[in-house]
Amino acid sequence: GVDLFSLSGRRLRRLRPRMQMVFQDPAGSLDPRMRVEQIVGEPLAVHSVVRRGQRRGRVVALLERVGLGAEFLTRYPHELSGGQRQRVGIARAIALEPDFIVLDEPVSALDISIQAQIVNLLGELQAGLGLSYLFIAHDPVVVGHLSHAVAVMYLGKLVERGPAEAVLSRPRHPYTQLLLLSSPEPRPYARTERLPRAALSAEPPSAIHPPDGCAFHTRCPLAVPQCRRLEPVLRQAAGCGNGHVVACHLADELSPRAVAQALSAERARPAI
Ligand code: SF4
């Protein structure tokens, strides 16, 4: 790999066309004073990729690639729906034919039906253009549709990482398990057994001053005294396949059923 922080401005500028970004808020990420043609054509102009006379044709091709067309060239962002704005943001991101795109919650601001269209579009582009995505999302169902590998973070730290199928169908960290149990159907991967729906209790602690030991211990239904003192490290737990690692002291013993049962027991406990 290349340490981007060590690169000078010129070398970084040469790399930038290969790395692009799609933002969470399609309205906020498009300049309201620019027409769609300028927005999508801007990276082509900045990096002098195509001659000025050919730029419009290239922009139209990009718009068609994301399900829009030449009739959108003269429109401003406020004349577009949320889904159309995000398509414009995606057209801008693929304009320079990048290798890698960071997708920062690209569908969370959209209606559920539009979310599915954008996720399908991202999947088509990924396969058709050979793109690598870093897809950031809170919804495991959406993550499961697009991802080959999944990393789960809690308070800014990785708590579980591995192949998408393994993490989403056989999660080992209690936080991952509770995320999946609290997500709406359909599940990203079929589960082997029915489990009661569950939700995280208690407010998350401060990410700036996380708790000692395991940062999840204040909300974990399975926490033991050791969890308050010792921070667990990512490791391959018993029964995990290659590349599937988890940061939990009890990972060798946990199953989705154990977490669900612990959560039910906690709920049933009378308040003092
Ligand atoms: S280390 Fe302890 S508190 Fe942290 S997730 Fe595992 S069981 Fe829960």
Side-chain angles (χ1 to χ4, degrees):
V2 177
D3 179 4
L4 298 181
F5 290 102
S6 70
L7 296 183
S8 68
R10 238 177 105 196
R11 290 184 64 201
L12 202 52
R13 189 176 153 85
R14 273 210 302 273
L15 265 183
R16 279 201 180 115
R18 296 172 56 192
M19 304 175 291
Q20 295 295 307
M21 177 124 185
V22 174
F23 299 90
Q24 177 174 8
D25 177 8
S29 65
L30 305 179
D31 188 329
R33 296 163 303 177
M34 290 168 77
R35 296 179 192 271
V36 167
E37 180 173 5
Q38 291 171 283
I39 293 169
V40 178
E42 189 175 34
L44 302 172
V46 168
H47 291 275
S48 309
V49 174
V50 290
R51 293 213 178 99
R52 199 188 178 99
Q54 297 168 339
R55 203 178 298 154
R56 174 169 287 190
R58 175 85 178 119
V59 170
V60 171
L62 286 163
L63 291 176
E64 286 170 350
R65 194 78 173 82
V66 299
L68 301 174
E71 68 273 22
F72 286 86
L73 284 173
T74 55
R75 297 199 196 166
Y76 287 98
H78 74 268
E79 296 175 295
L80 307 175
S81 68
Q84 289 167 343
R85 284 188 204 125
Q86 199 55 301
R87 286 174 193 269
V88 170
I90 294 168
R92 176 177 60 184
I94 61 171
L96 297 174
E97 300 179 1
D99 302 315
F100 171 65
I101 300 181
V102 176
L103 300 152
D104 183 10
E105 299 259 18
V107 296
S108 61
L110 304 175
D111 291 345
I112 196 85
S113 59
I114 308 297
Q115 284 189 10
Q117 293 173 16
I118 298 295
V119 168
N120 288 339
L121 171 65
L122 290 170
E124 285 163 26
L125 293 174
Q126 185 186 38
L129 303 177
L131 293 165
S132 295
Y133 290 153
L134 175 61
F135 186 84
I136 302 163
H138 282 92
D139 183 347
V141 176
V142 174
V143 170
H145 269 95
L146 275 180
S147 307
H148 301 100
V150 170
V152 181
M153 295 185 84
Y154 182 74
L155 292 185
K157 289 197 174 166
L158 286 182
V159 296
E160 185 158 9
R161 191 185 68 214
E165 191 275 333
V167 172
L168 298 177
S169 63
R170 295 182 297 283
R172 300 300 287 271
H173 195 281
Y175 179 60
T176 314
Q177 294 177 349
L178 286 165
L179 271 183
L180 289 165
L181 288 170
S182 59
S183 82
E185 298 283 0
R187 302 275 181 227
Y189 289 94
R191 287 174 299 154
T192 51
E193 54 184 345
R194 301 294 304 174
L195 293 169
R197 191 157 301 289
L200 278 174
S201 61
E203 287 297 307
S206 160
I208 298 170
H209 304 292
D212 289 339
C214 173
F216 190 53
H217 83 253
T218 56
R219 306 171 82 194
C220 180
L222 296 164
V224 293
Q226 179 191 16
C227 304
R228 296 184 187 87
R229 295 192 311 270
L230 271 181
E231 184 177 352
V233 293
L234 280 173
R235 65 189 171 88
Q236 187 169 345
C240 282
N242 255 353
H244 186 181
V245 289
V246 55
C248 172
H249 295 308
L250 306 184
D252 294 329
E253 304 143 38
L254 292 179
S255 67
R257 177 159 293 281
V259 175
Q261 283 170 346
L263 202 69
S264 306
E266 191 178 70
R267 277 186 183 154
R269 200 179 300 146
I272 299 172

